Amino acid sequence: VMTLSLAVSASAFKDDKDVSADYAEAVAVLNGMDVFKGYEDGSFKPQGNITRAEVATIIYRIYTGDVAKNDKSGLYSTYNKFSDMTGAGWAAGYIGYCANAELVKGYPDGTFKPSGNVTGYEVLAMILRAVGYDKNGEFSGADWSLNVAKYAEQAGVLENVKGVSLSAPATRELVAEILFRAIQQPMVTYTPAFGYVTDKVQKLDQTSLGYKNFKLVSGDGTDDWGRPTTIWAKDANANAKYDEKDTTEYATIVATPDAAFNV
């Protein structure tokens, strides 16, 4: 007999027990999508910091849907908008693409600091631009972080983030949570008359980044033990010719029991 909470558990990494319960679903799904991967030793290091170059790489994958091992980011490796890209190495193409698409911005001195830590506010700014925000320059100037927080709250991106300083270096699991929530929100279009609007207002053909590039949907299910699960997968209805064998399952999240009783 089990009483179930909304907490989740995942088992994609050898250190999955170190992933905060609130962020476990985000980590598992993004890994299943090949968007946010772990290390070669099988770990995720959820409490570790993440660099600006690494986040630019993940934003590239989310925005383009290009998660191939030999992706097309190399086409942008010579797009040098910042003065410190000489040492960017493997990340040059990802940063170049995101800079060209105006998803990432540098510092006033003309640098990007690819190996520097990224803050929660900076991650929010990057992913919110991918969703469609900052078309009116709200994420620049003295109040940029306040505007980032405002739009993130309105979009529900921070719904699961509690007691965390977004001005501090972000952990890998926090970045996963922010990105996971953001890609489920409807993309927006800016107009001077209406500001940022979704299809609910203007009947535009808009969708979320998760659905647009990965056909990401979720549904309820059960595992072999009968425990309730949430299944994240590629929408079968998006395929012209549906074949159950071709269905891509990104992650299955099993509900964690509040208590278990053996009789």
Side-chain angles (χ1 to χ4, degrees), residues 29-114:
V29 176
L30 292 184
N31 176 65
M33 293 165 61
D34 286 333
V35 166
F36 196 167
K37 305 174 184 179
Y39 295 95
E40 292 183 357
D41 64 357
S43 66
F44 184 76
K45 300 179 182 177
Q47 310 302 327
N49 291 337
I50 188 168
T51 67
R52 288 168 56 81
E54 290 173 324
V55 173
T57 302
I58 300 169
I59 295 292
Y60 166 86
R61 293 172 182 155
I62 287 173
Y63 192 71
T64 65
D66 182 7
V67 296
K69 186 174 182 180
N70 298 316
D71 59 40
K72 299 178 181 178
S73 64
L75 297 173
Y76 292 84
S77 60
T78 58
Y79 182 84
N80 192 346
K81 187 175 181 178
F82 308 109
S83 61
D84 59 344
M85 291 297 290
T86 303
W90 62 270
Y94 300 112
I95 298 171
Y97 179 91
C98 290
N100 186 44
E102 298 186 337
L103 303 178
V104 302
K105 303 291 179 67
Y107 293 96
D109 63 358
T111 64
F112 182 75
K113 296 182 173 60

Side-chain angles (χ1 to χ4, degrees), residues 4 27 57 59 76 129 165 186-187 201 203 205 207 216 221 242 248 260:
L4 298 163
V27 171
T57 302
I59 295 292
Y76 292 84
R129 290 190 189 108
S165 173
M187 298 177 71
V201 176
K203 307 297 183 184
D205 185 20
T207 184
L216 179 67
Y242 171 57
T248 299

